[in-house]
Every structure is written in C-alpha cells, then in structure tokens.
Amino acid sequence: MRMPNPREVLELIERMRCISNDGERRALIERLGAVDRPTVLSFLNAHGLNVCMDSDAALTAFGASDVLLRDGIGLQAVMPVLGMPAGLNMNGTDFIPLLLKSLSPRKVAIYGTATPWLDRARVVLETITPHRYADLQHGFHPTEHYIAHARTNRPDVILLAMGMPKQEQVAAELKRALDHPVLIVNGGAIVDFLAGRFKRAPEAVQRSGLEWAFRLAQEPRRLFRRYCIGAFGFAWSTLRLRRAASLRTRETGAAAPAATRIPPSAIRRSPIQKEL
C-alpha cells in the first residue's frame, strides 16, 4: 500500500474552507442547502490527519470532499505553524445539528452506527429539525447496499455515521454513483451523541479544548489509541508537514498567500468546490 507524500496531505489541508465569523457560517449553510449535484461535506481533525498521513486510500477519500472544514483544537494549533489561518472550530458535532435545523424540510437518510441508536437519534432529530427521516441503515453493510438505497429513495441529505475513514470512502462512492442533487455529510459520532449513547462534555470543558479528554474518560478502551498514542503520531505528522511546507517554499522562492496556498488548478476542484 502506497504511503502518501506529506506534500499531498499538505495540499488537502490547504483545501480546507476557513470560516472566520457567523456571517460566513450562515453563507456556507445557504450554499449547502442549494447544491445541484452530489456534494460531500467532511470534517478534518487530528485523527483524520493521522489517518491521511498513513493511508493513500484515506487521503483519496478525503480528497473527494467538496467542502472540508477544520475540526478540533489539534488542527487549530497546526494551522498557524503551516502559515494558514485556523478560523472557527467547525466541528461536526455542533455544525451538523445547526445545518439540519437551518435547512428547509428535506428527505434525509442516515447510514451508520447501529440500533437502537439509529431510532433514538431519529426521534431527537424529528423533534428539533423539520425533516423527514426516510431511510435508516446500520453502518455495517457493504457500500453497494447504501448506493442501492440512495438510488431508490433519492434523499436530499445523507448523513453518514461510520467513523473515519470508512464514511469518507462510502461518501466518495455515493458521490460517484448518484445522479441527483444530494448533500452527503460525514458525521462521525454525531448520531451516537444525538441518541444519548455518549455524552457531550460540559461547555466549560469544550471551551478549554479538552473535550477529547472527556470522551477518552467515557470510552478509554476504544479511544486510548486514537487520543494517547495518536498524539505522538500527530506531533510527528506536524513536523513532516512543516518540513514539506518549508521545502516547497524554498523550491518556489516565496510562500503562497496564506488563505489559498496553492492555485485552484493544482488541486483539481470540481465545479461545486469552486463555488463553495
């Protein structure tokens, strides 16, 4: 299996959309609510960065995202090191419910996690959002199963809750296979949070940037490798990315503008990516 070059991961990071204020966040929601083709919304956090550094397949899947947002304190610390603005923390646990509350009534499918959490999350979502949740599928089917259901039901929004990088890979396949306007959202543990399977950290803990520690306390066996061992991998990834950025600067003679480090043509954006 080919390992990604750090410069390729750097280019993915540079594609992240920096949201600086509430006005930009509202504008993004409006545009996400008006997509005219299969469009993938993803969130990149420290764990996702580690996954992309170790797997070409994961990097390719994340690269299929039309909108990529910065999630978490890890990348908030890394962005200035790489000469890029961090912007607001656009974590999916907060942004996805806001997005669903803000959109006009839609047909929504949820693919991921398992029963009874799927049904519990639907009850919550039907209470706080205006949508019809027409298709619920657990997260352990082959990708072809989700494609078949999406083709039959033609949802306006698909919320994936399978964890990284499986959900990003499924999202990329759905994007290729579907032919109707649909927003495909990579939601991670959002359904489990909505269903009450896991508790959110108190607001003070969230503001301090220590929500990861709160989650680790709830699921030490599952998350120890991600948050504890992964922290060392993330530090090493940051050093490699910083070196890649420095080497590129020396090769080109000058740093590119911080907000868009590489020209759009070099990252092969789709028409939707250019618009959003």
Side-chain angles (χ1 to χ4, degrees):
M1 181 176 65
R2 191 183 82 89
M3 296 287 287
N5 185 299
R7 188 172 295 190
E8 296 173 316
V9 181
L10 180 64
E11 291 175 355
L12 177 73
I13 295 172
E14 290 167 338
R15 273 188 44 197
M16 284 196 300
R17 184 179 178 90
C18 178
I19 302 298
S20 301
N21 53 59
D22 287 339
E24 291 180 3
R25 181 160 42 200
R26 288 193 298 271
L28 175 61
I29 289 173
E30 289 179 7
R31 290 174 179 173
L32 291 172
V35 299
D36 60 359
R37 68 197 73 196
T39 302
V40 177
L41 168 64
S42 300
F43 302 83
L44 186 65
N45 57 21
H47 173 60
L49 178 62
N50 283 344
V51 169
C52 288
M53 290 291 287
D54 290 338
S55 168
D56 187 59
L59 178 60
T60 299
F62 271 93
S65 304
D66 297 288
V67 180
L68 186 62
L69 300 176
R70 196 266 298 174
D71 177 351
I73 192 171
L75 280 175
Q76 178 180 326
V78 167
M79 301 297 280
V81 172
L82 300 177
M84 290 176 276
L88 299 178
N89 181 9
M90 297 294 291
N91 69 85
T93 311
D94 291 323
F95 183 68
I96 293 171
L98 174 63
L99 173 66
L100 291 174
K101 290 176 184 177
S102 302
L103 296 179
S104 59
R106 312 287 168 100
K107 183 193 295 186
V108 180
I110 304 177
Y111 303 153
T113 195
T115 55
W117 315 113
L118 271 172
D119 293 318
R120 293 182 184 178
R122 173 167 58 182
V123 171
V124 173
L125 286 168
E126 287 177 340
T127 302
I128 64 174
T129 74
H131 312 301
R132 180 165 64 94
Y133 295 85
D135 186 16
L136 276 63
Q137 303 292 324
H138 69 66
F140 306 100
H141 293 293
T143 303
E144 293 75 15
H145 177 88
Y146 306 115
I147 292 174
H149 271 259
R151 282 175 170 166
T152 299
N153 294 296
R154 299 178 69 82
D156 303 302
V157 178
I158 298 174
L159 178 58
L160 299 178
M162 302 171 184
M164 297 176 179
K166 180 180 178 180
Q167 63 185 10
E168 286 76 21
Q169 293 167 338
V170 171
E173 293 296 329
L174 286 167
K175 178 180 175 179
R176 281 191 285 268
L178 301 180
D179 62 359
H180 72 281
V182 54
L183 177 61
I184 304 165
V185 181
N186 286 312
I190 181 62
V191 172
D192 291 322
F193 281 122
L194 290 169
R197 184 179 185 182
F198 307 127
K199 293 182 179 179
R200 289 294 305 275
E203 288 189 12
V205 176
Q206 294 180 39
R207 289 194 299 271
S208 71
L210 293 174
E211 188 168 9
W212 64 270
F214 186 87
R215 289 199 62 194
L216 177 62
Q218 292 186 84
E219 300 181 86
R221 295 182 64 180
R222 187 175 77 87
L223 296 179
F224 177 82
R225 182 176 181 85
R226 176 187 299 187
Y227 289 135
C228 296
I229 298 177
F232 294 98
F234 183 67
W236 175 236
S237 295
T238 300
L239 291 174
R240 295 174 68 198
L241 290 167
R242 185 176 182 180
R243 182 171 183 271
S246 297
L247 286 173
R248 189 180 61 191
T249 298
R250 288 201 293 269
E251 290 171 3
T252 59
T260 55
R261 284 304 199 103
I262 51 178
S265 59
I267 57 177
R268 300 185 297 278
R269 292 185 180 178
S270 70
I272 278 288
Q273 287 172 322
K274 295 174 184 177
E275 178 185 347
L276 294 175

